[in-house]
Amino acid sequence: MTRWSPDGRRRLQDAALQLFEERGYSETTVAAVAEHAGLTERTFFRHFNDKKEVLFDENRLGELVAAETRASDASTAVEMAADGFRAVAAQLQLEPARVRRRALVIAASPELQERELLKITEWTAAVTRALEAERVEPRAARIAAEVSTAIFRIAYGIWLEATDPMNLVATLDALLEVLRSVLVTVPRGSDAVGARGTSSQG
Amino acid sequence: MTRWSPDGRRRLQDAALQLFEERGYSETTVAAVAEHAGLTERTFFRHFNDKKEVLFDENRLGELVAAETRASDASTAVEMAADGFRAVAAQLQLEPARVRRRALVIAASPELQERELLKITEWTAAVTRALEAERVEPRAARIAAEVSTAIFRIAYGIWLEATDPMNLVATLDALLEVLRSVLVTVPRGSDAVGARGTSSQG
């Protein structure tokens, strides 16, 4: 059963991450990844549909975000979806160094960026379905899913680029607070008191 | 001065839309588009950087959304950005049949979809900058821009797929209303009274 073990999957992911970093994504073959992991190409394709997929454990994260959205007992639709993304954030927060290495590999390849965009679109769809399953009105479900996805992406971007250690879940929570604020006010920078009144744009 | 006229630009766009519909985007050359418009290939490239660009008047829309965001005197950051997107919506609403034809051509080509995604990302960046120029706090500007972009995209999608005539600006306004609702409550479908209490998911 060794070739089916989660350990094999993880070894392939580790090998891929390392080779993509060293040689670049395009320059690395599936055969090289499998060999580096001490496994066969055939085993690789038992775990992953294609070379890109080895970097994306997001099918699992997609299931997680949907399950946690459904399980949420939050009092607003956005908060339900946010509970889904909090679970994903907590997961990523477990291995910050690895997540950042992976992000750099993706950032270096338009092909991988495209796949990442597609995965995120799938998360949004999964969250929409999860909210609908909890009887949220369809348009509201879609909007809550899209908005919480956008907030998650911004939080993730800020977290990836942070030079000091930073907690992804806390960043997400802070941005959800900002989201509430942008819907009830115009949050000005501290030096902006009265600035709009003197603007010639109005 | 004929070859510089806006009329030339429009003729090229009309020719491209027609040929892309008839032959497909990949199968249509720039030379064919220029010839169909009664202009030269050189003139085409005076107006557009590449073949894709002839379908995207979005540079102008990107300027419009930013200018209208800055000019807005709305009382929330999201409403300021929404005023920008209302201007774009009003523009698209002027030629619904043409906008729908264009959307079908884009939907048929992954290359064009990619360009459209890129353009939308540029709008979001332009709205963020516009809000920052109005002294909105940077994180709040980014979030208001992303959220209003998401709402615009959903409204645009609903409007494109509507079988009955529908007003895009009104659709956008309705979704902004839903956005406010998903942040303060869980908007359930009408058949959902008490549904969560009986769910086995919690």
Side-chain angles (χ1 to χ4, degrees):
Chain A
M1 294 296 288
T2 312
R3 55 186 191 186
W4 283 101
S5 69
D7 176 56
R9 185 179 172 88
R10 178 65 181 216
R11 265 157 59 206
L12 288 162
Q13 289 172 324
D14 285 342
L17 188 53
Q18 194 189 328
L19 294 183
F20 293 168
E21 279 176 327
E22 289 171 8
R23 308 178 186 175
Y25 168 77
S26 320
E27 287 71 32
T28 307
T29 62
V30 166
V33 171
E35 197 194 327
H36 200 76
L39 296 165
T40 64
E41 210 171 326
R42 198 166 155 185
T43 304
F44 181 99
F45 287 113
R46 282 211 185 89
H47 287 286
F48 307 105
N49 287 332
D50 59 33
K51 190 174 73 165
K52 283 176 200 153
E53 214 57 24
V54 67
L55 271 189
F56 293 94
D57 224 359
E58 262 98 350
N59 290 339
R60 288 159 188 212
L61 291 181
E63 282 162 29
L64 178 66
V65 69
E68 295 294 322
T69 297
R70 288 206 66 174
S72 168
D73 55 5
S75 62
T76 75
V78 164
E79 271 302 320
M80 288 176 70
D83 278 343
F85 283 108
R86 276 190 192 96
V88 171
Q91 199 68 33
L92 298 176
Q93 184 69 55
L94 293 175
E95 298 186 287
R98 185 190 177 87
V99 173
R100 285 192 173 81
R101 286 172 59 204
R102 178 181 163 278
L104 287 174
V105 168
I106 292 172
S109 158
E111 257 188 284
L112 291 173
Q113 286 173 274
E114 207 175 277
R115 178 66 57 99
E116 188 172 48
L117 268 181
L118 188 67
K119 291 288 179 184
I120 290 170
T121 307
E122 286 170 8
W123 290 9
T124 309
V127 170
T128 304
R129 286 192 301 270
L131 289 171
E132 286 182 353
E134 292 299 313
R135 313 283 174 113
V136 175
E137 189 268 311
R139 277 191 328 179
R142 171 88 194 277
I143 286 177
E146 292 274 3
V147 166
S148 53
T149 304
I151 299 293
F152 174 81
R153 288 180 59 186
I154 299 171
Y156 182 63
I158 291 174
W159 179 76
L160 278 181
E161 282 166 26
T163 44
D164 295 328
M166 200 172 177
N167 184 291
L168 181 54
V169 181
T171 308
L172 189 58
D173 284 333
L175 293 190
L176 285 161
E177 205 51 64
V178 177
L179 172 64
R180 283 181 280 270
S181 81
V182 293
L183 277 149
V184 295
T185 177
V186 181
R188 306 289 182 196
S190 52
D191 61 337
V193 181
R196 294 196 79 213
T198 63
S199 161
S200 59
Q201 299 296 324
Chain B
M1 295 296 289
T2 312
R3 57 187 190 185
W4 283 101
S5 70
D7 176 57
R9 185 180 171 89
R10 177 67 182 213
R11 265 156 58 205
L12 288 162
Q13 290 171 325
D14 285 341
L17 188 54
Q18 195 189 327
L19 294 183
F20 294 168
E21 279 176 329
E22 289 172 8
R23 308 179 186 174
Y25 168 76
S26 321
E27 287 70 32
T28 307
T29 61
V30 166
V33 170
E35 196 193 326
H36 200 75
L39 296 165
T40 65
E41 210 171 327
R42 196 164 157 187
T43 304
F44 181 98
F45 286 113
R46 283 209 185 89
H47 286 286
F48 307 105
N49 287 332
D50 59 34
K51 190 173 75 166
K52 282 177 199 153
E53 214 57 24
V54 67
L55 271 189
F56 293 94
D57 225 1
E58 262 97 350
N59 289 339
R60 289 163 188 207
L61 292 180
E63 282 162 27
L64 179 67
V65 69
E68 295 294 321
T69 297
R70 289 206 64 174
S72 168
D73 55 5
S75 62
T76 75
V78 164
E79 270 302 320
M80 288 176 69
D83 278 342
F85 282 106
R86 276 190 193 95
V88 171
Q91 198 69 32
L92 298 176
Q93 184 68 56
L94 292 176
E95 297 187 287
R98 184 189 177 89
V99 173
R100 284 191 173 83
R101 287 172 58 204
R102 177 181 164 279
L104 287 174
V105 168
I106 292 172
S109 158
E111 258 189 283
L112 291 173
Q113 286 172 275
E114 206 176 277
R115 178 67 57 99
E116 187 172 47
L117 268 181
L118 187 69
K119 290 289 180 183
I120 289 169
T121 307
E122 287 171 8
W123 290 9
T124 308
V127 170
T128 305
R129 287 192 301 271
L131 289 171
E132 286 183 353
E134 293 299 312
R135 313 283 174 113
V136 175
E137 190 267 310
R139 277 191 327 179
R142 171 87 192 278
I143 286 177
E146 293 274 3
V147 166
S148 54
T149 304
I151 299 294
F152 174 80
R153 287 180 58 186
I154 300 171
Y156 181 63
I158 291 174
W159 178 75
L160 278 180
E161 282 166 25
T163 44
D164 294 327
M166 200 172 176
N167 185 292
L168 181 54
V169 180
T171 308
L172 188 59
D173 284 335
L175 293 189
L176 285 161
E177 204 52 62
V178 177
L179 171 65
R180 282 180 282 270
S181 81
V182 294
L183 278 150
V184 295
T185 178
V186 181
R188 306 284 182 201
S190 51
D191 62 338
V193 181
R196 294 195 79 213
T198 62
S199 162
S200 59
Q201 299 296 321

